[in-house]
Amino acid sequence: MPHADAKFSFPENKRLKSSQRIRFIVAQRKSIAKYPIKCFYQTDFCQTSGGNIRVAMLVSKRKFRHAVDRNRVKRLFREAFRLNYNILTIPNNLNLDICWMFVGQELPEFSTVSKVSIELLKTLQTIINQNISHEKNN
RNA sequence: AAGGAAAACCGAGUUGUCGCAACUGAAAAGUUGAGGAAAGUCUGGGCAACACAGAGCACCAUACUUCCUAACAGGAAGGCGCAGAGAUGCGACAGAUAGUGCCACAGAAAAUAUACCGCCUAAUAAAAGGUAAGGGUGAAAUCGCGAGGUAAGAGCUCACGCCGUUAGCAGUGAUGUUAACGAGGGUAAACCUUAUGGGUUGAAAGACCAAAUAAACCAGGGUAUGAGGGCUGCUCGUCCGACCUGGAGGGUAGGUUGAUAGAGACUUGUGGCGACACAAGUUCGAGAUAAAUGACAACAUAAAACAGAACCCAGCUUACGGGUUUUCCUUUUUU
RNA sequence: GGAUCGGUAGUUCAGUUUGGUUAGAAUACAUGCUUGUCACGCAUGGGGUCGCGAGUUCGAGUCUCGUCCGGUCCG
């Protein structure tokens, strides 16, 4: 499944950085969830520069008071995404933005995070495929 | 050996695969990559802007002495007090004789005093006078205790002890000690007094570059008879001064720098009881900007505590699994 | 990153300036009265480690220090 070049890299253009954009995506409330992760997503059609996935990790300060724990969760999320994002295949005229939000109460293990993120990415792929076929029909 | 006290230190590494940030490099690739507290933001400073930084009041902080330090509420050495069997630990540790206030309830009385039960005076009682030893109240009762003294008593007198002032001696000094004199409730983490110190604001400070627009509209004030401002609570002084305030709206929200070689660290030597200072030599590498250290496997296997740099230092405080070293104390046993 | 305010019955707040020994009000809760019944109303009652730990004091919700938690402001 993975391509020959740039298999698992996580470069700058795959990160969602704008705080305005993150607020917009979370406010749209288009999400799928499986404990302990909630995934907000937003698709945009763009003819010139498409085919890019951007992702951001959100951990509430209320859930984890210490910066160490928040960093830990964000790193686990990023690692799980980095190893598994090749599940997603999107067409060249589409941009996808994702926000992973942690909704659990205790520090997760890497194995559970990885498993859950694979399932979420698969369901996301099916949703995107439905959207694409819907657009084509229109 | 057991129990305890103090000080200093460590805060897991190696290899492989995948990945992140900075730097080097044409590229391949290579090098480096969180802490002892990075934390709390409790002190002090550097740095920067505001008048190169004014005056007075207010306000705040500190409070045994000498020294160290860029500075401090920090540290060292010492004095005094308290705790402990000791090693040691802890201490907002100036002033109540500058003044004002407060001291609930109980109690006669809570501070220029006063007298409930008592005691004494005359033969007794009442009344009157003299007393404060004893009782009782209270957290605290006119210094404690003994002797003299007296009608009974009282710092009324004396010795000893507590406290203050002055003088002598020892000490740089806090202080200790001896003598003389003097007063006698507590409270200053009550107001306050004395001494010393503090200009204000913080890197979201500030500097530069680029991009964009509205020098427009409405209302009020002002234009030298002075609006308003100069990042301070008030007053003064001084400087700038033609725009200022509000409403409704429009635009931008990028980059570089500040920003990581410093009151740096280590070793040796000299001076000092010590904190520390001086000299010589050696050595250095996080610098991000939605924000970098992670995942998996193996290595004797269990990797675990508190915890993540955001301008930088010096300290303090708080959190901390496990471990190492040194010095000292007490008890028991043996020699 | 910096500045600043708060924490008191189940809930919302007083009381902290000037320390004083029953820590109060409203609401909620419980019981009784009222009513044919419920609500309203009336009466009574229970309920508090004053966030936590030290210190000062005879005595601390109040003063001081440390600590934990929560909020607000600064482009």
Side-chain angles (χ1 to χ4, degrees):
Chain A
M1 186 66 182
H3 301 285
D5 54 337
K7 293 174 274 191
F8 304 114
S9 68
F10 191 66
E12 197 85 9
N13 63 353
K14 290 230 181 332
R15 300 179 199 172
L16 180 56
K17 291 187 173 181
S18 165
S19 62
Q20 283 186 340
R21 181 71 181 162
I22 291 170
R23 260 188 235 116
F24 172 76
I25 291 166
V26 173
Q28 290 296 305
R29 301 194 172 199
K30 289 168 71 175
S31 65
I32 52 177
K34 180 169 174 57
Y35 185 84
I37 302 173
K38 193 170 190 181
C39 173
F40 295 92
Y41 64 94
Q42 180 72 25
T43 53
D44 286 311
F45 287 94
C46 179
Q47 296 295 338
T48 53
S49 62
N52 196 17
I53 305 168
R54 293 191 297 175
V55 68
M57 286 76 184
L58 312 179
V59 184
S60 169
K61 199 170 183 178
R62 295 288 170 82
K63 295 229 161 52
F64 298 105
R65 281 190 52 245
H66 296 296
V68 172
D69 300 332
R70 292 197 298 276
N71 281 350
R72 172 82 186 164
V73 173
K74 285 197 279 190
R75 282 166 184 162
L76 290 177
F77 277 16
R78 206 179 62 186
E79 194 68 13
F81 181 78
R82 181 177 73 77
L83 294 172
N84 298 312
Y85 72 84
N86 286 314
I87 292 169
L88 285 173
T89 53
I90 57 173
N92 283 332
N93 61 347
L94 192 72
N95 275 329
L96 177 64
D97 291 345
I98 307 171
C99 290
W100 300 95
M101 183 180 272
F102 185 73
V103 294
Q105 290 292 340
E106 294 176 353
L107 268 177
E109 293 285 319
F110 177 74
S111 56
T112 63
V113 171
S114 178
K115 207 192 304 176
V116 169
S117 56
I118 288 169
E119 293 180 25
L120 281 174
L121 287 170
K122 282 178 178 169
T123 54
L124 197 60
Q125 181 64 50
T126 59
I127 290 170
I128 289 166
N129 289 341
Q130 285 173 9
N131 280 12
I132 290 166
S133 57
H134 192 248
E135 282 285 326
K136 279 177 182 172
N137 293 346
N138 284 5

